[in-house]
Amino acid sequence: MVELKTDTSIDEMYAAGQVVGQALTAVRKAADVGVSLLELDEVAREVLRAAGATSPFLGYRPSFAPVPFPAVICASVNDAIVHGIPTGYRLCDGDLVSIDCGAELGGWAGDSAISFTVGGARPADVRLIETAERALAAGIDAAVVGNHIGDIAHAIGSVCRAAGYGIPDGFGGHGIGRKMHEDPGVPNEGRPGRGMPLRHGMVLAIEPMLIASGKDGYHAAPDGWTLRTNDGSRAAHVEHTVAITDAGPRILTAREAL
Ligand code: MG
Ligand code: MG
């Protein structure tokens, strides 16, 4: 069931989304060659703590997971697509990092992700990340009243495929509100005009995931959480929480440009 949010609730969700944006900005600024993923998790924890927010990631245990998630960020490096558990791994020159973060504030959830490189960037990684951001922007542009979920999916998928990238099937965006994961699902590939009609008050997490090789295959790592590309090629993941309103899409996790 899809819960439509009131304008007041959307304003409250914006406050939660701003905490997520601040956490991602702080993590991005702290990330550098030699910094560990656990240190980045601590940076995000401190932002959530200072804002009086809690983490919907910490302790989260969906049916596929062997253990509750132990951190407030997912940190997915190079061939990891999403759901990477922060470890003592220290970032190396040229690593491609995707950080996903959530926050709960005032009973509402926010969810957002960024991809970036540390040290000297490979041109192929820059192109992959830029394409992921373009796919997200296209998905957000399609998140308007009168469109359907399939229009968002088609917009994202078209940008990814036109650039020659793969899309991991079975993972994508979602409704969000009191809980981090609500109906409806928002696939990263689909047919225009299909699926649920978009209405004022729907709030969606839109999150393209791209695989550099153009192949779609992925698998869970031995930790049961991290999803890695089957061919070892690199992946990018970006996400915003977006409210659909009569005045157009409103990005609730908007953050300062770095
Ligand atoms: Mg997320
Ligand atoms: Mg999400």
Side-chain angles (χ1 to χ4, degrees):
M1 202 190 86
V2 174
E3 186 206 358
L4 297 178
K5 280 78 177 178
T6 64
D7 292 351
T8 302
S9 297
I10 290 171
D11 286 341
E12 291 168 356
M13 288 192 73
Y14 181 82
Q18 290 308 290
V19 177
V20 180
Q22 287 160 16
L24 288 174
T25 298
V27 168
R28 175 70 190 88
K29 285 178 175 168
D32 205 350
V33 174
V35 175
S36 80
L37 302 179
L38 279 172
E39 287 165 354
L40 297 181
D41 184 60
E42 188 50 46
V43 168
R45 282 178 194 250
E46 185 50 42
V47 172
L48 266 57
R49 204 179 290 136
T54 56
S55 170
F57 288 23
L58 187 65
Y60 184 55
R61 190 179 185 182
S63 55
F64 66 78
V67 293
F69 197 78
V72 308
I73 59 169
C74 299
S76 306
V77 180
N78 296 337
D79 64 327
I81 309 166
V82 289
H83 299 170
I85 295 177
T87 64
Y89 174 80
R90 293 188 179 279
L91 293 172
C92 297
D93 186 46
D95 275 351
L96 192 173
V97 190
S98 297
I99 301 289
D100 195 344
C101 185
E104 281 176 354
L105 184 74
W108 296 101
D111 187 12
S112 183
I114 53 172
S115 286
F116 56 88
T117 57
V118 294
R122 301 181 185 185
D125 291 344
V126 173
R127 179 174 173 269
L128 180 69
I129 293 167
E130 284 176 353
T131 306
E133 290 171 348
R134 263 197 303 123
L136 175 58
I140 293 170
D141 284 347
V144 295
V145 174
N147 267 357
H148 293 69
I149 290 287
D151 292 297
I152 299 175
H154 179 72
I156 294 169
S158 299
V159 171
C160 299
R161 294 297 186 193
Y165 295 131
I167 300 171
D169 185 29
F171 284 88
H174 48 90
I176 179 168
R178 294 278 178 197
K179 290 189 298 181
M180 180 170 60
H181 291 133
E182 297 184 351
D183 289 336
V186 186
N188 285 328
E189 197 161 32
R191 296 172 67 184
R194 299 300 179 96
M196 186 178 291
L198 304 181
R199 294 173 60 191
H200 178 89
M202 286 175 72
V203 182
L204 305 174
I206 300 174
E207 47 182 314
M209 303 161 195
L210 283 64
I211 299 176
S213 65
K215 305 251 178 16
D216 297 351
Y218 62 91
H219 62 278
D223 66 23
W225 272 101
T226 313
L227 297 185
R228 294 190 182 282
T229 62
N230 280 350
D231 56 12
S233 71
R234 293 187 167 192
H237 171 226
V238 294
E239 175 179 27
H240 270 308
T241 296
V242 180
I244 293 162
T245 80
D246 289 329
R250 182 179 178 195
I251 301 174
L252 305 183
T253 45
R255 59 183 181 270
E256 70 175 276
L258 289 177

